[in-house]
Amino acid sequence: MSNTYTDYENKIAITVPERYIDVKTGESYSVSPKIVDQIEYHAENSTLNHLVFAALHFYLNPRPSVNGGAGEILRQLADIKSILEHGVYQFKPAAQQRSNKEETDAVKLLNIKDVEDILEAFGG
Protein backbone atom coordinates (compact mmCIF):
# COMPACT_ATOMS: atom_id res chain seq x y z
CA MET A 1 0.00 0.00 0.00
CA SER A 2 1.37 3.41 -0.89
CA ASN A 3 0.79 6.78 0.79
CA THR A 4 0.75 10.17 -0.88
CA TYR A 5 2.26 13.18 0.91
CA THR A 6 1.52 16.67 -0.37
CA ASP A 7 3.18 20.05 0.07
CA TYR A 8 0.30 22.26 -1.05
CA GLU A 9 2.26 25.51 -0.80
CA ASN A 10 4.93 24.38 -3.29
CA LYS A 11 2.54 22.15 -5.28
CA ILE A 12 4.55 18.96 -4.71
CA ALA A 13 3.17 15.49 -4.08
CA ILE A 14 5.12 12.32 -3.39
CA THR A 15 3.70 8.82 -3.37
CA VAL A 16 5.72 6.52 -1.14
CA PRO A 17 5.34 2.79 -1.82
CA GLU A 18 6.04 0.02 0.70
CA ARG A 19 9.15 -1.04 -1.25
CA TYR A 20 11.46 0.76 -3.65
CA ILE A 21 14.26 -0.25 -6.01
CA ASP A 22 17.72 1.28 -5.64
CA VAL A 23 18.49 2.26 -9.23
CA LYS A 24 22.27 2.04 -8.68
CA THR A 25 22.22 -1.56 -7.45
CA GLY A 26 18.84 -2.88 -8.62
CA GLU A 27 18.05 -4.21 -5.14
CA SER A 28 14.61 -3.81 -3.57
CA TYR A 29 14.25 -2.31 -0.08
CA SER A 30 11.34 -1.55 2.20
CA VAL A 31 10.80 2.09 3.13
CA SER A 32 11.94 2.67 6.70
CA PRO A 33 9.75 4.45 9.25
CA LYS A 34 12.46 7.12 9.62
CA ILE A 35 12.10 8.04 5.93
CA VAL A 36 8.33 8.18 6.23
CA ASP A 37 8.62 10.41 9.33
CA GLN A 38 10.94 12.80 7.46
CA ILE A 39 8.62 12.96 4.45
CA GLU A 40 5.62 13.65 6.72
CA TYR A 41 7.53 16.36 8.58
CA HIS A 42 8.64 18.14 5.41
CA ALA A 43 5.20 17.83 3.81
CA GLU A 44 3.65 19.53 6.85
CA ASN A 45 6.28 22.30 6.92
CA SER A 46 6.22 23.08 3.18
CA THR A 47 9.83 21.98 2.71
CA LEU A 48 9.23 18.77 0.77
CA ASN A 49 11.03 20.17 -2.28
CA HIS A 50 14.15 20.79 -0.17
CA LEU A 51 14.08 17.22 1.14
CA VAL A 52 13.79 15.79 -2.37
CA PHE A 53 16.58 17.93 -3.81
CA ALA A 54 18.87 17.32 -0.83
CA ALA A 55 18.33 13.56 -1.18
CA LEU A 56 19.02 13.70 -4.92
CA HIS A 57 22.13 15.81 -4.37
CA PHE A 58 23.46 13.38 -1.76
CA TYR A 59 22.61 10.38 -3.97
CA LEU A 60 24.18 11.80 -7.14
CA ASN A 61 27.20 13.44 -5.44
CA PRO A 62 28.32 11.20 -2.58
CA ARG A 63 30.91 12.68 -0.29
CA PRO A 64 34.41 11.38 -0.92
CA SER A 65 35.79 9.28 1.89
CA VAL A 66 38.28 11.65 3.49
CA ASN A 67 39.95 10.21 6.58
CA GLY A 68 37.31 7.52 6.83
CA GLY A 69 35.91 4.42 5.30
CA ALA A 70 37.44 1.00 4.83
CA GLY A 71 39.42 2.08 1.76
CA GLU A 72 41.15 4.83 3.71
CA ILE A 73 41.99 2.46 6.57
CA LEU A 74 43.40 -0.14 4.20
CA ARG A 75 45.42 2.53 2.39
CA GLN A 76 46.92 3.66 5.69
CA LEU A 77 47.71 0.06 6.61
CA ALA A 78 49.44 -0.33 3.22
CA ASP A 79 51.53 2.76 4.07
CA ILE A 80 52.46 1.20 7.43
CA LYS A 81 53.38 -2.04 5.66
CA SER A 82 55.64 -0.05 3.33
CA ILE A 83 57.34 1.61 6.31
CA LEU A 84 57.90 -1.76 7.99
CA GLU A 85 59.33 -3.30 4.82
CA HIS A 86 61.49 -0.41 3.63
CA GLY A 87 62.18 1.52 6.82
CA VAL A 88 61.56 4.85 5.08
CA TYR A 89 58.38 6.72 4.35
CA GLN A 90 57.91 9.87 2.31
CA PHE A 91 54.89 11.96 3.23
CA LYS A 92 52.69 13.06 0.37
CA PRO A 93 51.39 16.64 0.47
CA ALA A 94 48.08 16.87 2.32
CA ALA A 95 46.50 19.04 -0.38
CA GLN A 96 46.92 16.31 -2.99
CA GLN A 97 43.74 14.25 -3.24
CA ARG A 98 44.08 10.51 -3.67
CA SER A 99 42.10 8.96 -6.46
CA ASN A 100 39.87 5.92 -6.10
CA LYS A 101 42.38 4.02 -8.25
CA GLU A 102 45.14 4.73 -5.71
CA GLU A 103 42.90 3.50 -2.89
CA THR A 104 42.02 0.29 -4.74
CA ASP A 105 45.71 -0.23 -5.53
CA ALA A 106 46.45 0.10 -1.81
CA VAL A 107 43.70 -2.38 -1.00
CA LYS A 108 45.14 -4.85 -3.54
CA LEU A 109 48.55 -4.61 -1.86
CA LEU A 110 47.15 -5.96 1.41
CA ASN A 111 45.72 -9.29 2.31
CA ILE A 112 44.25 -10.25 5.66
CA LYS A 113 47.54 -11.81 6.82
CA ASP A 114 49.35 -8.51 6.15
CA VAL A 115 46.74 -6.63 8.18
CA GLU A 116 47.18 -9.06 11.08
CA ASP A 117 50.98 -8.70 10.93
CA ILE A 118 50.78 -4.90 10.93
CA LEU A 119 48.40 -4.89 13.89
CA GLU A 120 50.60 -7.34 15.81
CA ALA A 121 53.67 -5.18 15.14
CA PHE A 122 51.93 -2.27 16.87
CA GLY A 123 50.58 -4.32 19.77
CA GLY A 124 47.03 -4.64 18.39
Side-chain angles (χ1 to χ4, degrees):
M1 182 171 132
S2 60
N3 292 325
T4 301
Y5 301 94
T6 307
D7 175 354
Y8 292 104
E9 188 173 315
N10 294 309
K11 299 178 184 174
I12 296 174
I14 293 180
T15 301
V16 180
E18 288 182 9
R19 299 189 65 77
Y20 69 95
I21 297 173
D22 183 342
V23 294
K24 282 188 176 179
T25 63
E27 295 181 32
S28 177
Y29 299 99
S30 61
V31 178
S32 72
K34 183 177 180 180
I35 292 173
V36 172
D37 290 343
Q38 286 296 307
I39 292 172
E40 287 175 355
Y41 171 81
H42 287 283
E44 291 172 6
N45 292 303
S46 302
T47 56
L48 196 52
N49 57 341
H50 299 290
L51 175 68
V52 171
F53 284 115
L56 283 171
H57 178 76
F58 179 77
Y59 183 77
L60 296 173
N61 303 307
R63 285 185 262 163
S65 105
V66 177
N67 295 330
E72 177 71 15
I73 292 168
L74 290 174
R75 187 199 49 77
Q76 290 180 5
L77 288 173
D79 291 344
I80 293 170
K81 176 184 174 185
S82 175
I83 292 170
L84 292 174
E85 288 177 349
H86 303 104
V88 177
Y89 182 72
Q90 296 177 351
F91 290 98
K92 295 181 181 179
Q96 182 182 8
Q97 291 288 332
R98 295 176 192 256
S99 67
N100 285 343
K101 184 181 181 320
E102 288 177 327
E103 285 189 11
T104 50
D105 289 345
V107 171
K108 289 178 185 176
L109 292 174
L110 291 174
N111 63 33
I112 194 66
K113 181 67 176 141
D114 291 336
V115 172
E116 289 174 0
D117 292 344
I118 292 168
L119 290 175
E120 283 182 25
F122 286 92

